Amino acid sequence: MTGRQTVGRQAELRQMVAALEGLERGRGAVVEITGEPGAGKTQLACELADQAARRGIPVLWARATRSGEGDHQVFRDMVGPAVASGTVDLDAWCELLQQRASGGLLVVDDLHLADPASVELVLRLARAASVAAAPASAPSASVRTTPPAPVAPGTTGAAFVLVLVHRPRQSPPALVEALDLGVRTDTVFRVEACPLDRPAVAALLGDRYGAASGSGSDTVTALHAASRGLPGYLRLLVAARFDPALWPDRAGHDEDALPREAAALLAEVGGLSGPARATARAASVLGRTFRPTDAARIAGLDAREGLAACAELLRADLVRPADQGRELTFRHPAVGRVVHASCELPQLLDAHRQALRIAVERGAPALERARYAEYLAHTDGPAAARLLAEGAAEALTRAPELAARWLRLALDALPAPGIEQELSERAAWELAHGRALIAAGRLTEARALAHHLLTESGHRPSAPAAAPDPETDHEPPTPPDRTPGPGLPSRLLPRAYALCAAAERLLCRYQEAEAIARTGMALLPRPLPAVLSVEATELVYEYGLVHVLRGTHDRIRPLLREAARSRTEAGPAASTALRVLIAFCDVFSGDTARGAAEVARCAALVDALPDGVAGHTPDTLTLLGCAELYLERFPDARRHLLRGLDAATGGAQKHIRAHQLLGLTMIDQWAGRLGAAQRRAAEAEELARAVGAPDVVTLATAMRAMTLVWSRGQEHAGEAVALAARAVDTVALGRGWWATSAISLLAHAQLLGGDAAGCLRTLLDGGGGAGLPDVQPAFRPSLLALMALAALADGDAEHAGQLLADAEADAERLGLPLQWACVHRAAAQLCSARGEHTRSLELFERAAEGFRTGGLPVQYAWTLIAAAPVTAAVRGPAAALGLVERAEALARPCGAALVLEKAGRLRAHLTAVPGPHPAAAPGPPTVRSPLSDREREVADLAAAGLRSRQIAERLFLSHRTVESHLGNAYRKLGVSSRTALARVLGPAPGAGLQPAGAEPEFR
């Protein structure tokens, strides 16, 4: 923490300082500071006192304590022992305190703990202070800002400011009622210490979690949520070395630090009766919510004593009702963790044993039993270890860090295996621990564990080239050179290979992942058996994922189909996952005829899976969503990706969450939700960096850059292109679809930024050369269309035509409407460049309709912009302006600044030249013209219908010069009339617009 304890409280401080300014003018005030425990009420009062001291205003402090005895305990130290010990009536006490506070600031802290006589005295003082401040002197949301009255005649002493700090939940009803009345009548100025917002928490933390630099923002967000924006609890969580993956089961990695930092909170607990303290300790063991009867049983109390103790905890506001009053919970989870950390070890262990006994009797889930067994692992040995392993299996989906910790504790608690059953159990837990590490994003640790297990089992990997290729070799392969060792039973070896390959794959080490998975596949009989074991199913599935991400999905499809024909012992969820993987490979390969029907069948199977089951195969929802995305079934894709995203919460499956975010980024960009797309891409980028997946970082960065091109416009296009280029520079060419996807995004950004040659070069280099053999077949038509536009912009219409012919053939084979829309738009611009305006307009209309019905507003608007110049040539400027207006209406709510800029320039061009004309297209320039710039300028205006004298006036030239330029144009173009000139020239480049390239989304 930085010590800047008043961060985020500037507004409250300004309001309270107004009371001091009024006091300097002779006006008193009553200031009430309220808020939740831990909200920083006392800190606000301290800051006000500091402000007063700097102004030379005397400050008096009084604090109520729970241990105080006797009347007027709050003020006894202030008046001195002689008065405090004597018998003095209330009026005398009040007059004496007014004299002491005269002209200064009197702060009464923790007023909710005061004895009744002190409360009555405070109310008297409040009435006296309010007489000198009627109405109150400082503005607030709950009082009017009427100037305060001067000190009333007859009041004792000068004016003073009375500051009352308390918790309304614990304050006496008479005090709360009186202060509420004061607020309503403008005689009390209330300041509420509300929870801090996230920026204030980030500023309060400073650089501790990288908040200033932007890194670590997830932790800052998690700290804000966990502390509920309350500075007192935030300080405790920071002291405990908070980890979002552990919360709320633990405050952090160093809970032993909590008692040192929570003196005030422990004092609250210490002020309770013995039974209430014991009940609080029992409640801290029971967890987030607890039943009073269970807490009483663990505390050793009977039912009546237990209820009385819980009532005392409620009055002290340490616990509050939960679950509609049937259970109780600590007012904040950090309170329970502090109480738990302050328990002595023998008490703690006994309490956890009793809590575990209650959970077993009640038939509680394994997750709940494991929470109690965690503290018994080193004392109760194998019994506790098995409970931890069972709980870890339940925790894996939502809390993988917790699962990993429990499995590590279970393994440490097991004695050295002495029999085969114990060896198998330990090996299974080791592999489960590796899976939990992967789910928690600790990929490097998981990789090290997997390699260690294979080494301990006698694994000696062969060279990748010498390993058998099971997807083509149906003969039983020679097993790898492996000497059986003590590490893993042979039954579990396929699972170990799958684990190791998964860790390598997620670290983007695809060659290593494939070699390891292929070596593991050599252990399986071929052809595959009619019934696949759980372990064999995992290995086949992992091998398929490796090939998908390498971009070699065609090689794995025969093996996957063979596995799908077998029955698997892994259950229906695993069988469904395998079918989804096959369907994804079909669609990804461009085999939409086969894939579309299978994707629909898989969607029905996945939708029927309960969340708990679907969450155990998180890749399934991601693969299904992406397959639907490629098939342009966007609502279904979004639904499945969002469901997967919901399953990957609590720190679980960071790598899969990043993949899901990338899919949603695409969909948001297509749907015109550019702000959401940018946020999702940034989150995916951060997650990928956290788990160490460089290729995922590259694609996320390129997606973010592409979104920036659309949302920030031409002025910032260069920055976005540079961002995408830096990301792509880190990717080796030919590393699978991550690389080709990122490269296609860079190419789109380059064309939109005006670098047609760079776009062509990027696609040829990254796509494997002519025909783009290395790109995803499902997106190849749009990328070939993009190349055609780049070639056209570079003046090579012949090459553009060849590319479009290939694009049309691929689009015909795929039959996807949006891929066709891309091709139609590019073909329309080629026709426009050739002067075939009617055909061009027909193609533009087909493209626009495709984007409209597909729900892509930005691409629809971009197509209308591209079509406007041809529309002007065929139907006149008014019709073209109508298209521009419609494009602006579509682009504005999306925040598509690039579209709006192009529309503005095109509008200016259309309104500058009267009458029907072959206006300039916003797409690529026409075939390179033999005309000079001035000759083309003159010829354009002549083709638009202007006479030579009008052209001369517009261009500030002489009539003779215009005729000379026009004659040169006629001669160079081989025409003899203005009508023929218009046909030859086609759209002019004067619109000043960049190529309206194929949509950047299709990759």
Side-chain angles (χ1 to χ4, degrees), residues 753-964:
D755 183 7
C759 170
L760 278 170
R761 188 170 53 252
T762 296
L763 282 175
L764 286 172
D765 291 345
L772 305 181
D774 290 345
V775 306
Q776 300 94 311
F779 289 158
R780 190 174 289 134
S782 61
L783 293 175
L784 288 170
L786 180 69
M787 287 187 71
L789 284 169
L792 195 58
D794 209 32
D796 193 345
E798 182 179 356
H799 186 206
Q802 294 168 353
L803 289 165
L804 278 171
D806 292 341
E808 288 171 358
D810 278 349
E812 181 71 33
R813 181 174 51 82
L814 290 173
L816 296 174
L818 293 178
Q819 291 294 300
W820 264 123
C822 301
V823 176
H824 286 149
R825 184 166 60 185
Q829 293 184 260
L830 178 60
C831 289
S832 173
R834 291 171 173 169
E836 301 169 5
H837 300 316
T838 302
R839 174 61 176 161
S840 173
L841 189 56
E842 177 189 342
L843 289 168
F844 270 130
E845 289 173 347
R846 291 171 67 181
E849 182 63 14
F851 290 125
R852 186 190 68 79
T853 57
L856 278 65
V858 174
Q859 291 307 314
Y860 180 30
W862 194 242
T863 305
L864 294 177
I865 292 294
V870 179
T871 302
V874 176
R875 299 172 181 167
L881 285 171
L883 294 186
V884 172
E885 291 173 358
R886 200 186 324 164
E888 289 173 326
L890 288 164
R892 196 168 287 113
C894 298
L898 185 65
V899 179
L900 294 171
E901 288 176 3
K902 300 290 187 184
R905 286 200 284 269
L906 183 56
R907 178 190 293 278
H909 178 77
L910 289 170
T911 55
V913 182
H917 57 83
T926 57
V927 182
R928 284 200 180 108
S929 170
L931 305 182
S932 69
D933 290 344
R934 180 60 86 180
E935 288 168 349
R936 177 63 193 256
E937 193 174 21
V938 170
D940 283 339
L941 294 174
L946 272 69
R947 297 183 177 277
S948 297
R949 190 168 300 283
Q950 292 173 308
I951 296 172
E953 292 173 355
R954 173 166 295 191
L955 299 180
F956 301 96
L957 299 174
S958 69
H959 183 272
R960 179 176 298 179
T961 300
V962 170
E963 289 292 337
S964 175

Side-chain angles (χ1 to χ4, degrees), residues 98-347:
Q98 286 184 71
Q99 291 174 354
R100 297 286 175 88
S102 177
L105 191 72
L106 173 56
V107 182
V108 184
D109 198 9
D110 288 340
L111 182 56
H112 51 281
L113 302 177
D115 60 273
S118 294
V119 171
E120 179 60 29
L121 185 52
V122 162
L123 294 177
R124 290 276 190 105
L125 289 171
R127 284 193 288 272
S130 64
V131 168
S137 60
S140 80
S142 56
V143 297
R144 294 191 298 274
T145 56
T146 311
V151 179
T155 56
T156 303
F160 65 98
V161 174
L162 178 64
V163 181
L164 307 178
V165 186
H166 73 116
R167 302 177 187 174
R169 279 177 174 268
Q170 295 170 254
S171 295
L175 176 65
V176 173
E177 183 181 4
L179 292 175
D180 283 345
L181 178 61
V183 169
R184 291 196 300 272
T185 57
D186 292 346
T187 57
V188 173
F189 164 37
R190 175 175 291 163
V191 175
E192 294 189 36
C194 297
L196 300 176
D197 59 17
R198 188 201 174 282
V201 168
L204 196 60
L205 293 169
D207 294 332
R208 187 180 184 103
Y209 290 95
S213 63
S215 62
S217 60
D218 278 353
T219 302
V220 174
T221 300
L223 268 169
H224 174 250
S227 67
R228 300 175 185 169
L230 301 173
Y233 299 128
L234 179 66
R235 179 173 55 82
L236 291 177
L237 296 176
V238 170
R241 293 172 49 215
F242 176 79
D243 184 342
L246 302 178
W247 181 258
D249 297 297
R250 288 200 171 197
H253 294 283
D254 186 17
E255 285 202 338
D256 291 340
L258 285 176
R260 297 193 298 272
E261 295 291 332
L265 181 54
L266 290 175
E268 284 188 64
V269 178
L272 300 171
S273 67
R277 287 197 303 273
T279 303
R281 289 193 294 268
S284 73
V285 169
L286 286 168
R288 303 176 193 178
T289 62
F290 63 93
R291 299 180 183 183
T293 52
D294 293 344
R297 178 176 168 182
I298 294 174
L301 305 174
D302 62 29
R304 182 181 293 276
E305 292 172 329
L307 289 175
C310 288
E312 184 177 346
L313 293 175
L314 283 165
R315 288 194 299 272
D317 197 32
L318 283 166
V319 303
R320 293 174 181 175
D323 191 23
Q324 298 179 342
R326 289 188 291 269
E327 294 186 343
L328 300 176
T329 185
F330 284 100
R331 70 184 182 219
H332 189 282
V335 176
R337 299 315 307 168
V338 168
V339 174
H340 191 276
S342 65
C343 293
E344 295 182 2
L345 185 59
Q347 294 175 324

Side-chain angles (χ1 to χ4, degrees), residues 434-777:
R435 285 292 177 188
L437 291 173
I438 285 180
R442 295 159 62 180
L443 303 180
T444 305
E445 293 177 62
R447 176 184 179 275
L449 172 62
H451 277 275
H452 171 73
L453 292 173
L454 289 174
T455 302
E456 288 295 305
S457 300
H459 166 72
R460 289 175 178 81
S462 305
D469 193 350
E471 65 265 27
T472 58
D473 180 9
H474 285 265
E475 296 299 322
T478 303
D481 180 13
R482 186 182 67 80
T483 303
L488 291 171
S490 58
R491 176 180 62 84
L492 294 177
L493 271 175
R495 178 172 287 175
Y497 280 104
L499 172 67
C500 194
E504 298 283 10
R505 167 178 61 85
L506 292 167
L507 288 166
C508 303
R509 298 160 57 94
Y510 303 124
Q511 186 172 352
E512 293 87 343
E514 194 223 355
I516 288 168
R518 182 152 33 93
T519 303
M521 286 294 298
L523 300 174
L524 303 183
R526 295 297 302 274
L528 294 174
V531 178
L532 283 177
S533 68
V534 174
E535 294 78 15
T537 304
E538 288 180 7
L539 181 56
V540 170
Y541 183 75
E542 181 57 44
Y543 195 32
L545 281 177
V546 170
H547 275 286
V548 164
L549 291 177
R550 285 200 74 181
T552 53
H553 37 274
D554 280 334
R555 291 179 55 200
I556 199 65
R557 288 163 76 188
L559 176 67
L560 293 176
R561 294 194 193 287
E562 182 185 352
R565 288 193 292 269
S566 301
R567 185 172 61 83
T568 175
E569 295 177 346
S575 178
T576 299
L578 199 58
R579 290 186 63 174
V580 168
L581 181 57
I582 295 170
F584 177 85
C585 287
D586 289 341
V587 174
F588 192 85
S589 302
D591 190 356
T592 53
R594 184 201 297 257
E598 185 59 24
V599 165
R601 285 191 288 269
C602 288
L605 292 172
V606 171
D607 289 342
L609 292 175
D611 284 344
V613 177
H616 280 282
T617 54
D619 288 298
T620 304
L621 287 162
T622 308
L623 288 170
L624 178 59
C626 289
E628 290 167 329
L629 188 152
Y630 297 154
L631 290 171
E632 301 174 2
R633 299 174 181 176
F634 302 135
D636 290 335
R638 179 177 173 83
R639 176 168 58 85
H640 287 124
L641 289 169
L642 285 173
R643 187 184 180 196
L645 199 65
D646 181 63
T649 57
Q653 311 290 357
K654 291 185 177 70
H655 49 286
I656 295 175
R657 183 179 177 85
H659 299 178
Q660 291 159 342
L661 286 167
L662 291 180
L664 289 167
T665 298
M666 278 190 176
I667 294 172
D668 282 338
Q669 191 182 101
W670 293 343
R673 296 184 289 265
L674 298 180
Q678 187 173 337
R679 289 191 296 274
R680 290 194 197 278
E683 185 181 351
E685 186 179 346
E686 188 170 355
L687 284 171
R689 290 187 194 282
V691 301
D695 287 4
V696 186
V697 172
T698 294
L699 182 54
T701 305
M703 281 189 172
R704 182 163 60 88
M706 191 66 252
T707 304
L708 290 173
V709 171
W710 287 110
S711 62
R712 293 192 178 179
Q714 195 70 42
E715 182 180 352
H716 299 279
E719 300 172 18
V721 170
L723 176 65
R726 285 195 300 273
V728 170
D729 282 345
T730 66
V731 177
L733 296 181
R735 289 187 63 181
W737 75 270
W738 295 108
T740 54
S741 296
I743 287 165
S744 67
L745 284 162
L746 171 60
H748 277 95
Q750 286 171 319
L751 185 59
L752 289 171
D755 183 7
C759 170
L760 278 170
R761 188 170 53 252
T762 296
L763 282 175
L764 286 172
D765 291 345
L772 305 181
D774 290 345
V775 306
Q776 300 94 311

